[in-house]
Amino acid sequence: MIYLDHAATTAPRREVLEAMWPWLTGGFGNASSHHERGQRAARALEDARERVAAVLGARPGEIVFTSGGTEADNLALKGIALARRERQPSRHRVLVGAIEHDAVLESARALARHDGFATLELPVDPSGTLSPDTFRAALVSDDDAARTLPDRAAPSRGVASHAPPGSGGTSDPTTVAVASVMLANNEVGTVQDIRSLAEIAAEHGVPLHTDAVQAVGSLPLNVEDLGVAALTLAGHKIGTPQGIGLLWVQRGTPLRPLMSGGGHERGRRSGTSNVAGAVGLAVALELAERERVAYAARSTALRDRLISGILSCVPGAILTGPDPRNVVGGLGNGGATPAAPDGPAACADPAVSIDPPASITSERLIPQAGRATATAGATSGRNGITRLPTNASFCFPGVNGETVLVDLENLGVLVSSGSACAAGSSEPSHVLTALGIPAELATTSVRYSLGRDTTEEEIDAAVRATAEVLRWLSA
């Protein structure tokens, strides 16, 4: 099987499993126990905390180990929002990007539904980029730059008010409790210029949280350089078993714990410590950072080969998210897709016609009224990178994305149709619709995500298999 679904999860690395093994066997003690075995486990836990902090450029005491990215996102958004409102009751607003992971969006909805917060969704441009101007406007003014985040149970994604009583629909820079914008998107790979957004948030005294789950191993994650107040990671994206993650929260940032119990993790996250998981996460992070530059360069070349191959060999295929080959001054420029350069040596069938690659902003696909309007203010992403090196995503008009997945698996290629955490949902991707892609077209989406062991031969085979499947389905 060719596995191109690494954005969902990766295989545990041998080095990680070997580091974890002693704490799953002879060293299995509870880190809260006072006997010698428990204290050995406690020392291993704190050593892992120090190693993780060193990779992130953080203080060990700022690291909170969690069960994964979803828990860390919940703790960040709810914990910071509730704690800040306790100190300053006027801070009743929460800002989130339109293409956030469901863990963030559902946390924002829960704050609105159960705790009286006003939760606002920030629109992005057709490449998925959140403009600093849009972000700044949302911090200081409740206008068209930010629309109220609808409840998932609502019949549409239109405007739905969750403003708390007495707010009168007005706002000022002092009413935002927390903002959350993901560093890199899990479906279309968009990389945000988080540093610029964090600087704007800091001007207004607003802590910015970023979900960096997809960025780890591909982008630099020094928290001081990012400028954020909180950051989320999940180990299984970089080679740990599933079930371990972390929240980094800057010292001095208020945080209300969401779970009551024995006061573990310095009172921020009660629950018996996953010592083996923490040790594995430390090793995985160290390996990912050591290999990051070479891995990103290699993955970028493979990703671009895949993009060129799909656009050349599959008539009508549409690249979603930023096009990394549309380069101006060395920076990716989201928008129209240029003619495809050379890709894989051969498509599934030499007779397949090669249409000009389409752009998601093509007039025939998305009417002008449905497009985002922030393109002119779009930034270049983190360190000039607009798209994750490991992500390529497409829409294939006229076919069902789930059908493509099944047929590709029958040919030995494993991919996905979007976030693995939205399992069972029959709704079109909120990420794609936020980019201005019509719901009907969004249901044709397929995501390919590369990993450490992906080869050029596998990329070429995946392109040929995709072309073959689309020929069958279009016949």
Side-chain angles (χ1 to χ4, degrees), residues 310-332:
I310 295 292
L311 294 179
S312 295
C313 296
V314 181
I318 301 165
L319 177 67
T320 58
D323 188 337
R325 304 164 307 150
N326 190 5
V327 177
V328 178
L331 302 179

Side-chain angles (χ1 to χ4, degrees), residues 126-127 318-319 334-337 358-368 371 375 435:
S127 71
I318 301 165
L319 177 67
T337 307
S359 162
I360 64 167
T361 56
S362 170
E363 187 68 42
R364 68 184 175 85
L365 296 171
I366 304 175
Q368 182 68 35
R371 301 182 197 175
T375 307
L435 269 57

